Amino acid sequence: MVKLTSVRADQILDSRGNPTVETWVSGGPGEFRAQVPSGASTGKHEALELRDGGMEFGGKGVLRAVSNVNGAISETICGKEFSGLREIDSAMIMRDGTPNKSALGANAILGVSMAAARLISSENGSELFQFLSSFSGRDPVMPVPLLNIINGGVHAGGELAVQEFQIVPSGFVKFSDALRCASEIYQHLKTHLKKKFGPLAVNIGDEGGFAPPVSRTAEALDAITVAISEAGYSPGKEVYLAIDAAASEFYRNGKYRMDGMELEPAELSDHYLSLASKYPLVSIEDPFDEEAFDDFAAFRAAAGKRLQVIGDDLYATNTSRIRLGIEKKSTSAVLIKLNQIGTVSETVDSTLLAIGAGMNTVVSHRSGETADDFIADLAVGTGTGQIKTGAPARGERVVKYNRLLEIERKHPEIGFAGHSVFSR
Ligand code: PGA
Ligand code: ZN
């Protein structure tokens, strides 16, 4: 049984300088904190992030969400006995009473859920990932990181349509070696971009990746391929490439504007496949608009086993949308974001649903982040085998990678997922 004696929240800033919610919960073992992230290329089907409107912070204040924690949520869960995290989450979901958490705000509910998970794991005398492992019934696994080292789309001020260009150092035995490889490539990419395009080319975007003055997808992939070689690695051996197209952001009136073209879905599919034949791409996220279940399915069929196809905005970590994707065979993987759905229990439900259907899962940060490292434990504990949390740079990104290093150091028995996650 678990009893929370106090639940409170404050307004703090995220990595983009916008307000977000920080939550504290107290109970038996002490006081525990969580900080809530926020997206920019948010999916239409995400749970509602409650913002104040008005003049302060350009309307982005979260004081209403904060007061929902201090008022309604505190009233609902403080001083009562709950059998566990799921019951706490259910009580908040009931109190909210809407399908998308629009009454209290997903940003209000999520912080409490995350902080409560920390409290319960401490009460059990376990680390957060160990609690999440028993909560999900999954064995812990050190995840392959997908590191976003060139930022485009709405995460940067450049002309690249594709939002994220990632390196995937999957050909290692340990997470720490994979991260070292990524860091070396990141530094070589910096040198290469500076030499080729001048010092302005190494300005960075929201997730810590560079935002060079290139406009074509292939140019970004070329630059990364050079950096991989210059760092002494072989593209397609120890390290692979991945992209998050976030295609809803460049979709207008049935066409996708990308690489100087206006493409129909079938043409865009061919374009991706031709990129995949020239570069060692292993994964493509959100290749089409967030409603295009059928275009995803056609692309997945055409790509076969060569490419992992991930749904992010398509699913918004929502079980009913994931069920539709399973039925239509739309993707081979699901992106998992806590704040798209708004509680830890529902996030785990989505993960288990996807895994049960034979899909891969990838735990993800948001472009607006905080120093909270919850997702590192979530990825390990639910054994997803993959995590994406930005470049190996900037505090709010590296805090997650550093927590993963710590878990691996303290628990060398937990194996690294490695490249076999892509052949499942
Ligand atoms: P977002 O980007 O947090 O801005 O939505 C991350 C993603 O699209 O995966
Ligand atoms: Zn995405």
Side-chain angles (χ1 to χ4, degrees):
M1 295 306 266
V2 50
K3 190 154 120 183
L4 306 181
T5 50
S6 98
V7 173
R8 62 188 178 84
D10 283 311
Q11 176 168 271
I12 60 164
L13 296 182
D14 73 10
S15 58
R16 272 193 284 253
N18 291 322
T20 191
V21 179
E22 175 177 78
T23 305
W24 295 86
V25 305
S26 310
E31 193 171 36
F32 298 83
R33 177 172 74 168
Q35 298 172 331
V36 175
S38 172
S41 62
T42 42
K44 253 198 284 211
H45 301 280
E46 297 192 17
L48 184 98
E49 182 180 70
L50 194 60
R51 298 274 179 195
D52 298 337
M55 297 298 285
E56 286 185 9
F57 290 110
K60 292 192 167 166
V62 292
L63 293 176
R64 284 198 294 153
V66 164
S67 88
N68 288 342
V69 175
N70 294 333
I73 293 178
S74 170
E75 235 169 66
T76 306
I77 61 176
C78 275
K80 293 185 193 133
E81 296 259 337
F82 290 96
S83 56
L85 181 63
R86 184 167 294 281
E87 289 66 29
I88 293 175
D89 287 348
S90 300
M92 291 192 284
I93 292 166
M94 294 266 287
R95 173 75 189 233
D96 176 85
T98 68
N100 64 346
K101 302 188 175 63
S102 53
L104 298 174
N107 43 352
I109 293 171
L110 178 62
V112 177
S113 180
M114 290 162 69
R118 288 195 162 113
L119 183 142
I120 296 167
S121 60
S122 168
E123 197 145 59
N124 297 348
S126 54
E127 292 200 51
L128 182 58
F129 79 85
Q130 292 166 323
F131 165 70
L132 293 167
S133 163
S134 66
F135 187 78
S136 62
R138 303 269 308 155
D139 289 333
V141 178
M142 293 305 300
V144 170
L146 281 61
L147 302 103
N148 179 9
I149 60 172
I150 289 186
N151 294 184
V154 298
H155 292 170
E159 287 176 37
L160 286 167
V162 166
Q163 177 177 284
E164 303 177 17
F165 296 84
Q166 303 155 353
I167 44 173
V168 185
S170 52
F172 293 87
V173 176
K174 285 172 64 187
F175 172 80
S176 53
D177 290 326
L179 190 64
R180 173 177 46 78
C181 162
S183 160
E184 290 167 2
I185 292 167
Y186 182 77
Q187 304 306 337
H188 277 276
L189 180 61
K190 186 173 191 172
T191 309
H192 171 69
L193 290 174
K194 225 185 205 163
K195 214 163 36 187
K196 186 147 188 204
F197 302 105
L200 287 182
V202 294
N203 290 342
I204 58 168
D206 286 349
E207 297 187 350
F210 302 112
V214 300
S215 57
R216 302 282 155 102
T217 306
E219 292 175 277
L221 295 172
D222 282 335
I224 295 176
T225 310
V226 170
I228 292 173
S229 303
E230 287 185 348
Y233 298 101
S234 311
K237 188 163 165 242
E238 306 94 342
V239 49
Y240 296 76
L241 305 180
I243 59 175
D244 177 5
S248 298
E249 301 292 332
F250 55 86
Y251 177 69
R252 302 270 175 287
N253 308 323
K255 300 238 174 151
Y256 295 88
R257 287 158 203 269
M258 178 184 178
D259 292 342
M261 303 177 280
E262 284 198 21
L263 302 171
E264 301 279 349
E267 295 168 325
L268 181 60
S269 170
D270 289 344
H271 185 46
Y272 289 133
L273 292 174
S274 116
L275 289 167
S277 68
K278 293 189 195 109
Y279 302 92
L281 280 172
V282 282
S283 180
I284 298 192
E285 179 181 331
D286 279 352
F288 301 95
D289 179 65
E290 62 201 315
E291 308 293 359
F293 280 90
D294 295 328
D295 295 330
F296 270 81
F299 177 64
R300 180 196 174 178
K305 285 201 182 304
R306 272 193 300 161
L307 279 174
Q308 168 177 267
V309 180
I310 311 178
D312 168 16
D313 293 347
L314 183 72
Y315 298 131
T317 317
N318 185 312
T319 48
S320 38
R321 294 187 66 83
I322 296 169
R323 265 190 213 102
L324 191 55
I326 293 169
E327 201 179 292
K328 293 187 171 255
K329 299 189 168 41
S330 296
T331 71
S332 51
V334 177
L335 204 76
I336 301 291
K337 288 169 167 168
L338 286 156
N339 79 325
Q340 283 183 329
I341 190 69
T343 62
V344 175
S345 324
E346 291 166 290
T347 303
V348 170
D349 291 343
S350 293
T351 307
L352 295 178
L353 173 65
I355 292 172
M359 292 203 263
N360 276 346
T361 50
V362 184
V363 167
S364 171
H365 66 160
R366 298 310 302 249
S367 52
E369 265 295 337
T370 71
D372 193 303
D373 59 5
F374 193 98
I375 61 167
D377 285 73
L378 181 68
V380 176
T382 57
T384 56
Q386 296 177 67
I387 189 170
K388 71 160 194 175
T389 185
R394 317 313 292 182
E396 75 281 4
R397 313 295 151 188
V398 299
V399 73
K400 281 77 162 171
Y401 294 124
N402 289 341
R403 170 62 182 152
L404 290 167
L405 288 175
E406 180 186 34
I407 294 175
E408 186 172 70
R409 195 162 54 236
K410 283 164 72 180
H411 301 275
E413 72 282 3
I414 303 176
F416 179 54
H419 199 69
S420 60
V421 283
F422 298 108
S423 48
R424 283 211 284 246

